[in-house]
Amino acid sequence: MASFVLPHALHGRGSHKVIAVHGWFADRSAFDPVLPDLDQSAFQYALVDLRGYGEARGAAGAYTSGEGGADVLALADRLGWDRFSVVGHSMGASVVQRVLAAAPHRVRRLVGISPVPASGLPLPPQQWELFSSAAHAPENRRTIIDLTTGGRRPAAWLDRMVRRSLERSDPKAFRSWLDSWSGETFAAEVEGSTVPALAVTGALDPALTADLARATWMRWYANGRLVELPSAGHYAMDETPLELIRAVEDFLRADGDGDGNANGNGDGPEGG
């Protein structure tokens, strides 16, 4: 297990290194909508497939955020990246917060897009049944995607998102990841961190809201920032890609070039 290398794709040649981690419903293709407009001269992005997804669909593992964080650090070592920023969507935000907890000295900046907090996201019984059955019930996956985008997205897009999810995730891993991101808590390991940390939420997402980010992310991170995208739900990469890129890259860029030492003053996009 220790020798496992996360499948990944590199984009850009910039000096600011960034590792991006997908969420529960997709592999690294989740970031495809933003790829054409990323600043690839300032940044180099490594987009990864977590165990159980994409090119790692058949990889054995515990399928936990802690294991995912260790895998990300191992990939950074393999790439020769001593310091780097991390971006995580939803469940992936739990993984990148684990990276920060394990190696705070290596993380330049932290970004969570609709981030699952480090306290987990306990689900009431009816929601738990919907989510836990989604591993083998495509209709449940569709319902979840529809609910978390405010019921405003086209049917064809919902269907496409479900097809991608089924094609690029292993059902057993998909179900195991749910236990980790919903039930595990490690907030004490990140609370008080001074690493600049941006949470980007979507106003149409009824679950991972700006209010939740204020109660969790903004309390734990001394240099926390919050941006709420008014036209996005849970999938800002698909729904509002240009607004998302601007929010994230403005925040990353505030770190400056050169040696990449974080300025620690929380500079970045205003919001929330």
Side-chain angles (χ1 to χ4, degrees), residues 40-75:
Q40 299 193 24
S41 62
F43 304 102
Q44 184 175 40
Y45 291 89
L47 310 183
V48 306
D49 287 335
L50 294 171
R51 299 185 195 222
Y53 289 87
E55 292 179 31
R57 196 172 185 270
Y63 312 117
T64 64
S65 60
E67 178 185 70
D71 285 342
V72 167
L73 284 168
L75 176 61

Side-chain angles (χ1 to χ4, degrees), residues 111-149:
V111 177
I113 303 165
S114 297
V116 171
S119 53
L121 191 69
L123 300 171
Q126 188 172 358
Q127 288 187 20
W128 178 257
E129 178 60 27
L130 175 68
F131 278 65
S132 62
S133 300
H136 299 285
E139 65 275 15
N140 286 17
R141 299 193 191 204
R142 193 181 193 279
T143 296
I144 292 167
I145 297 168
D146 192 24
L147 288 172
T148 56
T149 52

